[in-house]
Amino acid sequence: MRINTNINSMTANEAAQQVGKNIRGSLEKLGSGLRINKASDDASGLAIADKLRTQASGIKQSVENATSASSLLQIADKAMAEQSNILDIVKAKLIQAKTSTTSEDGRTAIAKDVSKLLTQLDNIASQTNYNGVTLLQNSAQATTASGVLSFQVGEDKSNTIDTTATQSNTVGLVLTTLKGYTTGTALTATLAGVQMDSIDTALTKLNASRSDFGSVQNQLESSIRNLSTTHTNLKAAESVIRDVDYAAESAN
């Protein structure tokens, strides 16, 4: 029997310390809800979980970007819908001006009305914006075509969805001559017939722009569905690695 060094006591003390350490670790995990609270808990698991978390955060922001972009396109679509209504009214008034039952005074009144309607069409183009970004022309003052809008909807910088340039005003729709008709301008039946063709051309251009916006919106909505599913799956994968199993840890 050895009495100088109490090996049995030392062994028991070491075991008690290890048990205490394990209990403290389990309580920490149960308290935080995480299996990995520090790198030493699972170094490789922490690296993988952090990468998944970063990826999920990027995907979540992409969903928010796409949702905002969809709202932007809805604003543009509604504005162009009203512009289409204006052109429909102008076409009807030109048809009225072309018939022989309309007097010269009547045509003068029609010309004035048409001019006002096209001024409102330009107002819509200059005023339609989202967060200060003019959508139907270059800016509130510049009547040139708008810039291409690029929406970031993915983790990689190349994951973008772009619109096409739009110029939904009387300049872009080639209606400046018709807009120039005011009181005193001789709007004849012949001129009304010529401008009816201009309205048809303008409607074709306007509908093409509106169709482009609609296609982009469909693309964005598809991306939102896909990205939302991806985000959920990434968070699930991260949870498997990072989150604690309460039943197992309670048993420990």
Side-chain angles (χ1 to χ4, degrees), residues 166-242:
T166 306
Q167 192 175 5
S168 183
N169 50 43
T170 52
V171 176
L173 299 177
V174 196
L175 295 172
T176 52
T177 300
L178 180 58
K179 185 183 177 183
Y181 289 142
T182 57
T183 304
T185 300
L187 175 60
T188 64
T190 302
L191 287 175
V194 171
Q195 294 305 320
M196 284 167 57
D197 292 336
S198 298
I199 292 296
D200 290 337
T201 301
L203 280 168
T204 299
K205 290 184 177 181
L206 182 62
N207 289 334
S209 295
R210 193 176 177 190
S211 177
D212 287 339
F213 277 127
S215 297
V216 173
Q217 187 170 359
N218 288 336
Q219 191 176 358
L220 286 168
E221 290 174 353
S222 176
S223 294
I224 289 172
R225 291 191 294 270
N226 179 61
L227 290 171
S228 296
T229 300
T230 301
H231 178 262
T232 300
N233 291 335
L234 286 171
K235 294 303 291 183
E238 180 194 359
S239 176
V240 170
I241 299 171
R242 193 188 298 275

Side-chain angles (χ1 to χ4, degrees), residues 130-147:
Y130 180 92
N131 197 26
V133 178
T134 306
L135 306 179
L136 304 183
Q137 60 185 38
N138 190 30
S139 69
Q141 293 76 33
T143 60
T144 54
S146 68

